[in-house]
Amino acid sequence: NCDLRNADLSYANLNKAKLNKAKLNKANLSNAILSSADLSSASLRKADLSNCDLSFSDLTYASLVSAILRNAKMSYVILRNADLRKADLSYVNLRISDLRNADLSNSNLSNADLRNADLRYSDLTYASLSNAQLDERELCRLGEYLNEPLQGWKKCKDGVIVELEIP
């Protein structure tokens, strides 16, 4: 429950820090090491986390509205139910991260690596995904065009199985 609003923690080593429910609004955490940190339910509104290492951290229910996370390392991060509206997540590595139920509306995810990230039930309304790396299943869910047709099978009446191809 510590209050670190507007604090300058740039380049700080906060590896495995316990900062759950911390108030870090407008804090400068650029280039900081926060790997394996507990930031669950923390408030990081408008915080600068650019070039930060957040790998393996827990940001469940964290508020990152309008936060700057450009070029952050965020693989294996838990962002379940996190509020990332209007956040700058450009060039962020979010591989194998848990973003279930996260609000990413109006966020910038351009050039982000989202391969193997779990985006189920996340809100990507008006999010910028230009040049983002996504799994094929996410491209389908987002209505993106695929380079190759999808194939599938359907069991029809009388047990007949037919092969389907969606161009």
Side-chain angles (χ1 to χ4, degrees):
N1 276 347
C2 60
D3 190 344
L4 294 166
R5 289 178 283 196
N6 299 303
D8 185 357
L9 299 166
S10 56
Y11 295 94
N13 185 348
L14 298 166
N15 183 46
K16 297 182 181 177
K18 305 290 184 215
L19 294 166
N20 54 313
K21 297 183 181 176
K23 294 177 180 82
L24 290 153
N25 300 333
K26 296 183 182 178
N28 181 0
L29 290 152
S30 61
N31 300 290
I33 299 170
L34 283 155
S35 53
S36 301
D38 181 1
L39 289 156
S40 56
S41 299
S43 184
L44 292 141
R45 292 171 166 265
K46 297 184 179 179
D48 184 355
L49 294 138
S50 55
N51 301 303
C52 188
D53 184 357
L54 285 156
S55 302
F56 300 97
S57 292
D58 184 357
L59 287 126
T60 305
Y61 287 104
S63 177
L64 292 138
V65 176
S66 299
I68 303 165
L69 293 136
R70 186 178 177 87
N71 203 39
K73 294 175 187 166
M74 297 179 73
S75 55
Y76 297 94
V77 168
I78 302 169
L79 284 158
R80 268 194 191 171
N81 299 294
D83 190 350
L84 292 146
R85 288 173 293 147
K86 299 181 183 178
D88 181 359
L89 293 150
S90 57
Y91 297 94
V92 169
N93 179 357
L94 280 159
R95 289 189 80 168
I96 314 170
S97 291
D98 186 351
L99 291 135
R100 283 180 282 178
N101 296 307
D103 189 348
L104 293 153
S105 57
N106 296 293
S107 63
N108 180 5
L109 287 155
S110 59
N111 299 292
D113 189 347
L114 293 156
R115 289 176 289 176
N116 296 311
D118 192 344
L119 292 163
R120 285 180 288 171
Y121 312 110
S122 59
D123 185 353
L124 291 160
T125 307
Y126 300 115
S128 172
L129 291 158
S130 61
N131 298 315
Q133 296 177 46
L134 292 158
D135 292 327
E136 185 174 304
R137 70 178 184 269
E138 292 303 329
L139 290 173
C140 290
R141 186 175 75 84
L142 295 169
E144 297 288 329
Y145 292 103
L146 301 176
N147 296 330
E148 299 174 13
L150 290 176
Q151 290 186 313
W153 293 266
K154 171 136 178 79
K155 189 172 185 178
C156 296
K157 191 175 182 181
D158 299 326
V160 176
I161 296 175
V162 294
E163 183 178 358
L164 305 169
E165 184 174 301
I166 302 169

